[in-house]
């Protein structure tokens, strides 16, 4: 080989290396080298290019956004949370959505609900704060509560006005919308990113705004967060105002009434979706009336007043190479088909879920079969059906394990008391940390975005640290040996230090997030919040490890038998108690700050009977908004029993015996003023 070839070979190897790290960073969020190592690699490539003019590559950093996006942006709290959306897939889902809203709002004629219909661009959402008409702060969504400060990068986007010289522009407002890259523009850089969304995300998170500038990002505005003077009453009015203020809005936005019309429009739009210059994964429906939006509020992370109507799935055929069992955080055993990689709607798929054993039997899916695989948006791809015509003689039936493949414990099915049936899902019967796979998943949950939100401790890192015996329990995260970490392959001083910083930062945590992070089965974010408001501080919460009357929890509206059994079970496990006790010593778990300004503060309420002109759900929400508490039983802790039409006489009787005030709906309303 002559020297020119050798140089070329070295150069291409370096380019390949760079491409690998770009992918690890942008697509997998799992960088394995430090910023400086990355920069060094880049410099070496450019140096080679400068010395040898025959070296050329599409991937050359000299042609593209060069430096790696930074992981270390400062953060800032959103003044109003950035929510996500629940999904609808068909007419039925939409009918249910509208029914729920109408029940909540106590509407009789729900066919008259007006929706603002907007394409759901698949990009990256951003929140822009304008004070005195000037763009002063730009945040990424982050975990919805807190985002990264990316103001300077956002300022490079031409669609984002820096100053708005309009009289009617509020003097303190957050404008929210989607940052994306057009499909045509993406074509030019598509070798470096899996899809336009990744390109937008990577470029928005560049340390150097000059790098962001090189990618032609766009911005479409669609909602607001905080707003000090909202002189608009409808979402559609707001969208029109946005235009007059100089923002881009989507030209496909519409107002539609009636779910049948929504579906018709969806069908028409779906046909057009590939002709648009942006990636869309569905349509967003928002109740147009902002007063109704306010009344409806939100649950957990999604508003009650909006829904995303997804487009139908993309599908393709491929062959099942083998079937593996995945074990989840709650011990559920999920069969996953490893398939011959296939491109479905722009994404390469090599795994597809088979859900559970019953599904495999019902669809008669065998190893070696050619199957139809479906992928819809961000949902995990699944095996839809078998192409029986293509079945060969050597396909093999899959035998579902009787014992957990990770720890050998028996596999069980839970009995559902309500449906009086056994669950389809099979579980490892081992408790928590005793099963290795469950333990790893529990730790991944602990560090996840909605829980401790530890950046730099992604799934792959958790697995690696587990293998190295660095982390076996959540508390180990706070006693890591960083001098060992920095010596690991792919690590260095800088990345170890960054990890240390984000772990230190995570130590101060709210009680509800702490409870959620423990991963108690059936205790999601919403229930964790309920429990935190009941216990108020970690000391009270930890009382559950002592002689505790768990039935008290049934007073909490939303906590039922299933949840109580699960909490009890959790606190009966010695390992869990040790983990909690160690964590309590290390962490700074914040007490719950009660909203104690409301008129109903320190008072407890229960409703019985049909209320007039307001739904039970809204009455409860209003009570809570005014600092009152809702109980779900009549007992000594109850202050008021509010009665509507046809109340349960038993409850009234019991309330009277216990000297609890029994009041009418009107009297409750007077308390609220
Ligand atoms: S409204 C109400 N409007 O969808 C809470 N979001 O799943 C959602 N998105 O994070 C914000 N187009 O990135 C809204 N017209 C639109 C949207 C839209 C795309 C994205 C946005 C958000 C995600 C929620």
């Amino acid at each position: 080989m002559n020297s020119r070839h050798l140089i070329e070979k070295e150069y291409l190897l370096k380019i390949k290396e760079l491409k690998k790290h770009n992918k690890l960073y942008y697509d997998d969020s799992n960088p394995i080298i430090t910023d400086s190592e990355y920069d060094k690699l880049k410099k070496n490539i450019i140096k080679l290019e400068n010395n040898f003019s025959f070296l050329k590559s599409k991937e050359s950093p000299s042609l593209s956004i060069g430096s790696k996006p930074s992981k270390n942006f400062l953060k800032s709290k959103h003044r109003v949370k950035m929510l996500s959306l629940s999904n609808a897939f068909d007419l039925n889902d939409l009918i249910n959505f509208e029914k729920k809203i109408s029940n909540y709002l106590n509407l009789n004629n729900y066919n008259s609900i007006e929706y603002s219909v907007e394409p759901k661009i698949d990009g990256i959402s951003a929140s822009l704060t304008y004070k005195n008409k000037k763009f002063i702060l730009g945040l990424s969504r982050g975990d919805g509560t807190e985002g990264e400060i990316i103001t300077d990068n956002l300022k490079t986007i031409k669609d984002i006005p820096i100053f708005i010289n309009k009289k009617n522009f509020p003097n303190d407002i957050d404008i929210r919308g989607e940052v994306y890259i057009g499909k045509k523009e993406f074509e030019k850089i598509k070798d470096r990113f899996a899809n336009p969304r990744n390109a937008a995300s990577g470029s928005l998170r560049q340390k150097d705004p000059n790098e962001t500038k090189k990618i032609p990002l766009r911005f479409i505005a669609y909602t607001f967060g905080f707003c000090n003077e909202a002189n608009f009453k409808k979402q559609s009015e707001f969208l029109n105002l946005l235009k007059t203020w100089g923002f881009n809005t989507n030209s496909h936005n519409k107002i539609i009434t009636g779910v049948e019309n929504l579906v018709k429009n969806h069908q028409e739009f779906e046909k057009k979706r590939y002709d648009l210059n942006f990636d869309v994964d569905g349509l967003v429906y928002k109740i147009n009336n902002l007063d109704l939006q306010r009344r409806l509020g939100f649950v957990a992370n999604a508003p009650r007043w909006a829904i995303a109507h997804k487009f139908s799935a993309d599908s393709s055929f491929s062959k099942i190479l083998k079937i593996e069992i995945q074990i989840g955080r709650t011990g559920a055993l999920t069969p996953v088909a490893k398939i011959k990689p296939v491109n479905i709607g722009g994404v390469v798929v090599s795994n597809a879920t088979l859900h559970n054993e019953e599904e495999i039997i019902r669809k008669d899916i065998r190893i070696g079969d050619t199957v139809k695989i479906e992928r819809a948006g961000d949902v995990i791809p699944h095996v839809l059906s078998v192409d029986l015509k293509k079945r060969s003689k050597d396909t093999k039936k899959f035998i579902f394990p009787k014992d957990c493949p990770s720890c050998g414990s028996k596999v069980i099915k839970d009995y559902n008391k309500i449906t009086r049936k056994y669950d389809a899902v099979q579980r490892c019967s081992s408790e928590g940390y005793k099963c290795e796979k469950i333990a790893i998943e529990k730790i991944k949950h602990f560090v996840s975005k909605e829980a401790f939100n530890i950046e730099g401790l992604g799934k792959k890192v958790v697995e690696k640290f587990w293998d190295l015996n660095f982390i076996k329990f959540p508390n180990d995260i706070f006693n890591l040996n960083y001098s060992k970490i920095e010596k690991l392959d792919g690590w260095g001083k800088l990345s170890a230090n960054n990890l240390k910083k984000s772990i230190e930062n995570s130590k101060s945590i709210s009680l509800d997030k702490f409870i959620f992070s423990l991963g108690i089965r059936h205790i999601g974010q919403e229930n964790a919040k309920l429990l935190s408001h009941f216990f108020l501080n970690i000391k009270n919460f930890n009382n559950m490890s002592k002689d505790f009357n768990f039935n008290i929890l049934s007073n909490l509206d939303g906590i039922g038998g299933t949840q109580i059994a699960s909490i009890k079970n959790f606190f009966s496990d010695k390992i869990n108690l040790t983990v909690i006790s160690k964590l309590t010593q290390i962490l700074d778990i914040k007490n719950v700050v009660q909203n104690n300004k409301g008129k109903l503060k320190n008072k407890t309420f229960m409703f019985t009977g049909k209320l007039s002109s307001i739904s039970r759900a809204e009455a409860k929400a209003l009570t809570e908004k005014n600092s009152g508490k809702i109980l779900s039983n009549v007992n000594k802790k109850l202050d008021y029993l509010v009665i509507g039409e046809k109340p349960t006489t038993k409850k009234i009787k019991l309330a009277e015996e216990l000297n609890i005030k029994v009041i009418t709906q009107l009297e409750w309303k007077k308390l609220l003023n």
Side-chain angles (χ1 to χ4, degrees):
M1 213 185 275
N2 63 29
S3 67
R4 180 175 165 146
H5 273 111
L6 278 174
I7 291 163
E8 227 160 26
K9 205 173 153 197
E10 184 194 340
Y11 173 73
L12 289 175
L13 269 175
K14 285 201 159 54
I15 290 275
K16 201 172 154 197
E17 179 82 6
L18 188 78
K19 210 173 154 189
K20 178 180 105 184
H21 291 299
N22 279 340
K23 183 183 173 303
L24 278 166
Y25 194 93
Y26 293 116
D27 301 347
D28 310 342
S29 288
N30 184 32
I32 56 170
I33 58 171
T34 63
D35 286 12
S36 62
E37 282 163 336
Y38 180 92
D39 287 340
K40 211 162 117 193
L41 176 63
K42 201 185 76 179
K43 266 190 204 137
N44 279 336
I45 293 174
I46 293 177
K47 205 166 134 197
L48 278 172
E49 280 176 358
N50 289 342
N51 289 345
F52 308 100
S53 58
F54 56 84
L55 294 175
K56 265 195 189 85
S57 163
K58 276 196 302 203
E59 250 90 45
S60 165
S62 54
L63 299 172
S64 62
I65 53 159
S67 72
K68 210 165 67 152
S70 172
K71 279 263 175 195
N72 296 308
F73 285 98
L74 290 175
K75 289 188 179 149
S76 171
K77 257 204 153 99
H78 294 296
R79 295 190 285 184
V80 172
K81 245 179 127 175
M82 283 184 91
L83 301 169
S84 54
L85 291 164
S86 18
N87 292 332
F89 293 94
D90 52 25
L91 177 66
N92 226 356
D93 293 346
L94 293 178
I95 292 175
N96 281 335
F97 169 69
E98 196 162 72
K99 228 189 230 161
K100 264 196 207 148
I101 289 176
S102 316
N103 286 342
Y104 192 97
L105 296 172
N106 207 40
L107 301 177
N108 304 321
N109 180 10
Y110 44 82
N111 258 325
S112 60
I113 298 179
E114 212 177 74
Y115 296 98
S116 169
V117 176
E118 305 161 19
K120 186 168 186 290
I121 299 185
D122 194 11
I124 300 292
S125 54
S127 184
L128 323 171
T129 299
Y130 288 83
K131 279 196 181 163
N132 301 320
K133 306 184 193 289
K134 252 169 68 186
F135 174 39
I136 58 145
L137 176 72
L139 300 178
S140 68
R141 179 173 183 274
D143 64 357
T145 308
E146 190 180 59
E148 291 163 319
I149 302 177
I150 49 169
T151 318
D152 292 335
N153 292 359
L154 288 166
K155 276 186 183 166
T156 67
I157 302 177
K158 288 196 196 78
D159 294 339
I160 294 180
I162 305 294
F163 182 77
I164 291 163
N165 197 6
K166 286 281 180 315
K167 263 209 182 105
N168 64 348
F169 188 66
N171 62 20
D172 191 0
I173 185 170
D174 301 332
I175 302 285
R176 291 176 175 176
E178 207 75 358
V179 176
Y180 67 99
I181 173 165
K183 282 191 210 162
K184 275 193 218 117
E185 290 69 31
F186 177 69
E187 277 303 306
K188 294 175 206 151
I189 53 164
K190 72 173 178 200
D191 295 331
R192 274 175 296 130
F193 302 98
N195 52 47
R197 189 171 189 275
N198 283 2
S201 155
S203 132
L204 253 192
R205 303 182 75 252
Q206 290 290 314
K207 212 183 239 165
D208 178 359
N210 287 320
E211 299 295 341
T212 307
K213 216 174 176 172
K214 290 184 189 164
I215 299 266
L217 293 174
R218 317 267 347 226
F219 182 77
I220 273 193
Y222 50 63
T223 192
F224 59 93
F226 178 86
C227 178
N228 75 321
E229 43 180 318
N231 38 20
F232 37 88
K233 295 222 165 323
K234 288 183 172 182
Q235 165 71 5
S236 52
E237 262 176 54
F238 176 70
L239 289 172
N240 284 334
L241 279 170
L242 278 171
K243 267 192 273 183
T244 67
W245 293 333
F247 290 94
N248 280 345
T249 55
N250 204 306
S251 61
H252 299 273
N253 292 342
K254 271 186 187 166
I255 299 170
I256 293 177
T257 308
V259 282
E260 272 85 11
N261 294 328
L262 288 177
V263 170
K264 222 193 263 159
N265 174 67
H266 190 262
Q267 282 164 351
E268 281 159 20
F269 195 81
E270 189 161 10
K271 285 184 214 142
K272 291 192 288 206
R273 70 183 277 208
Y274 295 106
D275 304 331
L276 304 169
N277 191 33
F278 44 79
D279 266 342
V280 263
D281 55 357
L283 289 169
V284 184
Y285 304 148
K286 302 173 184 170
I287 299 236
N288 201 21
N289 182 319
L290 295 177
D291 268 334
L292 294 185
Q293 284 191 8
R294 240 165 262 135
R295 275 176 65 190
L296 284 158
F298 55 90
V299 251
N301 282 326
R304 284 199 191 85
W305 46 264
I307 199 156
H309 189 180
K310 293 288 181 116
F311 289 132
S312 58
D314 290 308
S315 65
S316 195
F317 287 90
S318 182
K319 192 173 160 177
I320 299 188
L321 304 173
K322 58 179 176 178
I323 294 177
E324 284 180 0
I325 295 288
Q326 239 169 40
I327 300 162
R329 173 172 65 83
T330 59
L333 268 60
T334 308
V336 176
K338 300 273 153 181
I339 56 167
K340 212 171 136 202
V342 56
N343 188 317
I344 310 181
V347 173
V348 178
V349 175
S350 46
N351 295 315
T353 180
L354 294 157
H355 300 293
N356 53 57
E357 185 184 17
E358 280 175 25
E359 281 276 306
I360 298 180
I361 296 173
R362 197 169 59 79
K363 294 177 176 165
D364 186 22
I365 298 166
R366 303 183 193 177
I367 301 162
D369 267 340
T370 298
V371 289
K372 188 172 184 184
I373 292 150
E374 207 177 59
R375 188 189 74 89
D378 39 14
V379 187
I380 303 167
H382 66 271
V383 176
L384 202 68
S385 56
V386 178
D387 184 352
L388 284 174
K389 281 186 273 160
K390 292 219 173 102
R391 174 168 285 172
S392 69
K393 268 182 252 132
D394 49 5
T395 57
K396 260 203 319 231
K397 280 198 178 173
F398 176 69
I399 301 174
F400 209 89
K402 298 255 174 302
D403 301 324
C404 170
S406 160
C407 70
S409 306
K410 244 183 90 123
V411 168
I412 51 165
K413 282 185 178 180
D414 285 347
Y415 182 72
N416 188 322
K417 278 187 193 149
I418 299 165
T419 58
R420 298 202 182 161
K421 276 189 194 147
Y422 281 97
D423 280 351
V425 175
Q426 316 203 45
R427 285 175 198 287
C428 165
S429 57
S430 154
E431 275 309 319
Y433 296 97
K434 287 180 207 116
C435 173
E436 177 167 318
K437 279 277 152 53
I438 299 182
I440 297 177
E441 293 307 312
K442 279 172 91 76
I443 293 164
K444 287 181 191 167
H445 170 79
F446 187 86
V447 300
S448 67
K449 224 178 189 181
E450 290 76 19
F452 272 74
N453 192 17
I454 302 178
E455 236 172 67
L457 204 52
K459 292 182 179 175
K460 289 265 148 54
V461 182
V462 169
E463 280 166 18
K464 190 166 176 184
F465 284 8
W466 173 279
D467 289 337
L468 292 167
N469 283 326
F470 287 4
I471 300 177
K472 291 283 166 182
F473 298 101
N475 44 287
D476 296 334
I477 294 168
F478 304 98
N479 289 312
L480 286 171
N481 183 336
Y482 294 98
S483 47
K484 271 191 190 164
I485 293 175
E486 85 182 42
K487 287 191 199 95
L488 294 177
D489 212 21
W491 286 77
K493 249 205 166 69
L494 190 66
S495 35
N497 218 7
N498 284 342
L499 178 64
K500 188 174 173 182
K501 260 193 240 157
S502 51
I503 289 178
E504 282 305 311
N505 282 342
S506 75
K507 277 186 176 173
S508 165
I509 191 162
S510 65
L511 181 61
D512 65 301
K513 280 200 178 182
F514 175 75
I515 296 174
F516 173 71
S517 75
L518 295 174
I520 306 172
R521 219 176 135 202
H522 302 296
I523 305 299
Q525 285 174 287
E526 214 35 30
N527 282 335
K529 242 183 222 146
L530 276 173
L531 290 171
S532 74
H533 278 276
F534 176 77
F535 288 109
L536 298 177
N537 58 49
I538 184 67
K539 198 163 159 261
N540 293 340
F541 179 78
N542 284 346
N543 279 340
M544 284 198 280
S545 62
K546 295 171 196 146
D547 209 6
F548 186 76
N549 174 14
F550 285 89
N551 288 335
I552 273 193
L553 299 178
S554 67
N555 274 336
L556 298 177
D557 197 45
I559 304 278
T562 315
Q563 286 77 16
I564 292 177
S566 169
I567 298 171
K568 219 170 165 176
N569 195 27
F570 183 88
F571 277 94
S572 67
D573 184 297
K574 282 220 178 71
I575 303 180
N576 286 337
L577 298 186
T578 314
V579 169
I580 293 188
S581 136
K582 286 191 176 159
L583 285 173
T584 308
Q585 284 165 36
I586 302 166
L587 301 170
D588 168 25
I589 303 169
K590 299 266 182 267
N591 294 350
V592 176
V593 189
Q594 279 180 298
N595 161 21
N596 250 347
K597 291 186 203 119
K599 295 208 166 62
L600 308 182
K601 73 170 176 203
N602 300 330
K603 296 285 178 248
T604 56
F605 293 80
M606 185 182 167
F607 292 89
T608 176
K610 190 179 175 331
L611 304 174
S612 76
S613 67
I614 187 172
S615 70
R616 179 82 67 88
E618 192 176 4
K620 283 180 180 176
L622 263 176
T623 306
E624 282 170 345
K625 233 184 221 162
N626 288 279
S627 318
K629 273 198 185 144
I630 301 292
L631 297 190
S632 51
N633 283 315
V634 180
N635 61 36
K636 275 184 270 173
K637 291 212 162 149
L638 185 66
D639 296 311
Y640 294 98
L641 180 68
V642 187
I643 52 169
E645 237 177 88
K646 292 191 191 147
T648 316
T649 38
K650 240 193 195 163
K651 286 183 184 152
I652 300 180
K653 241 185 174 169
L654 184 58
E656 280 166 352
E657 274 168 37
L658 295 171
N659 261 331
I660 291 164
K661 288 186 200 104
V662 179
I663 61 172
T664 62
Q665 185 184 342
L666 201 72
E667 287 169 307
W668 166 77
K669 222 169 158 184
K670 274 187 192 147
L671 287 178
L672 271 175
N673 193 10

